[in-house]
Amino acid sequence: MQITDMTADQALKSKHRAMWATGDYAAVAADVIPALGPVLSEAVAAGPGQRILDVAAGSGNAAIPAARAGADVVATDLTPELLETGEELAGRHGVTLEWQAADAEALPFAAGAFDTVMSCVGVMFAPHHQVCADEIVRVLRPGGTIGLINWTPQGFIGQMFATMKPYAPPPPPGAQPPPLWGDEAHVRALFGDRVTDVVAQRRMLPVTVFPTAEAFLEFFKRTYGPTIAVYAANSGDPAALAALDEALLDLARRHDLGGGAMEWEYLLVTARTAAAGE
């Protein structure tokens, strides 16, 4: 797949960059989903002698654990503000890694530059899925490892995006829904026969930080870029804002297992790029 309208694409990327710079995604990563990064780092067997690229790394939820395990890590993201926060967090923990602003759809690295490419609920938000998959394969050495964690369409975050969709501006032509990266068949189709040893597991992340549905909604309206953007798009329509509030509160209540505890489903995928002769 090639992106032909570069002006429109640059405008879309600028919009995405600004969206993720709003709120406080680092708080989401640290307070709500901190377990995901270590899960991915372990899944790709991060360790000494391994050069790892974390695509759409955000504030380093997976990159920092991988570096702590001894790997040589490069963390990239479209939004420099998130990388600055990640670098500060890594410094507090005495962890050293490289932070570089980069587009997941145009990675500034040579072919075969990495032993492992991973992404923790990050690459799924780039609009052109096939382009991202192609870039992941390109920068991996033959026999290299792919590790991905993405929210599933059926899980809580996938359903949250479905709930917000009627209130959001229509996506630009060619942009694909982020939760598709949480569908095993979609991911397999993106990589095709360029990978082997594919293992896909649907898992649950326990989330216990929100005592009530109202607490969840307040937190996400304050910290999470996509939620902030949808509310901003409806700022002149009080009825739409009230309906969106109620729809998201209903979603949280339906997923409440008791006492505010929830489980958010994600897909963990590991694979290996085909080596010569495979």
Side-chain angles (χ1 to χ4, degrees):
M1 175 184 175
Q2 290 186 330
I3 300 171
T4 55
D5 190 340
M6 298 307 296
T7 300
D9 185 63
Q10 289 172 2
L12 176 60
K13 300 297 173 59
S14 294
K15 184 177 179 181
H16 276 209
R17 188 181 302 117
M19 179 185 72
W20 288 107
T22 62
D24 186 2
Y25 183 74
V28 178
D31 299 339
V32 185
I33 61 168
L36 288 185
V39 166
L40 185 57
S41 175
E42 182 178 348
V44 301
Q50 188 179 14
R51 183 161 170 78
I52 296 179
L53 174 65
D54 189 352
V55 177
S59 53
N61 192 27
I64 292 173
R68 188 181 293 123
D72 176 14
V73 180
V74 179
T76 65
D77 199 274
L78 189 66
T79 304
E81 292 88 342
L82 294 180
L83 297 175
E84 291 168 8
T85 300
E87 190 167 12
E88 291 176 7
L89 291 171
R92 290 181 211 165
H93 294 287
V95 179
T96 301
L97 59 153
E98 181 180 342
W99 303 86
Q100 182 172 343
D103 183 351
E105 298 181 359
L107 295 170
F109 306 107
F114 294 92
D115 302 303
T116 296
V117 176
M118 64 181 185
S119 185
C120 184
V121 295
V123 72
M124 65 182 292
F125 292 104
H128 306 105
H129 297 185
Q130 189 63 63
V131 176
C132 291
D134 294 347
E135 281 292 274
I136 288 172
V137 172
R138 182 184 67 81
V139 301
L140 266 173
R141 65 168 176 80
T145 299
I146 296 169
L148 305 169
I149 284 180
N150 293 306
W151 302 119
T152 66
Q154 304 88 352
F156 180 81
I157 296 296
Q159 288 301 299
M160 186 183 78
F161 276 93
T163 299
M164 295 192 298
K165 183 178 179 180
Y167 302 91
Q176 294 177 281
L180 274 180
W181 273 97
D183 178 84
E184 179 182 347
H186 181 69
V187 176
R188 286 181 178 272
L190 290 175
F191 291 105
D193 60 5
R194 297 176 296 176
V195 301
T196 63
D197 303 327
V198 178
V199 178
Q201 305 172 53
R202 285 166 61 170
R203 295 186 178 185
M204 290 294 187
L205 173 72
V207 175
T208 59
V209 296
F210 303 120
T212 63
E214 289 76 11
F216 151 76
L217 182 60
E218 186 279 329
F219 182 87
F220 266 67
K221 286 171 70 173
R222 175 171 51 85
T223 64
Y224 196 59
T227 308
I228 294 170
V230 170
Y231 274 89
N234 292 273
S235 59
D237 189 341
L241 292 174
L244 180 56
D245 275 348
E246 191 51 45
L248 289 173
L249 287 169
D250 178 66
L251 176 72
R253 290 169 183 144
R254 285 188 282 112
H255 281 78
D256 189 342
L257 301 176
M262 292 189 279
E263 290 184 331
W264 295 1
E265 187 180 66
Y266 64 92
L267 182 73
L268 170 63
V269 175
T270 56
R272 187 169 60 86
T273 50
E278 288 188 316

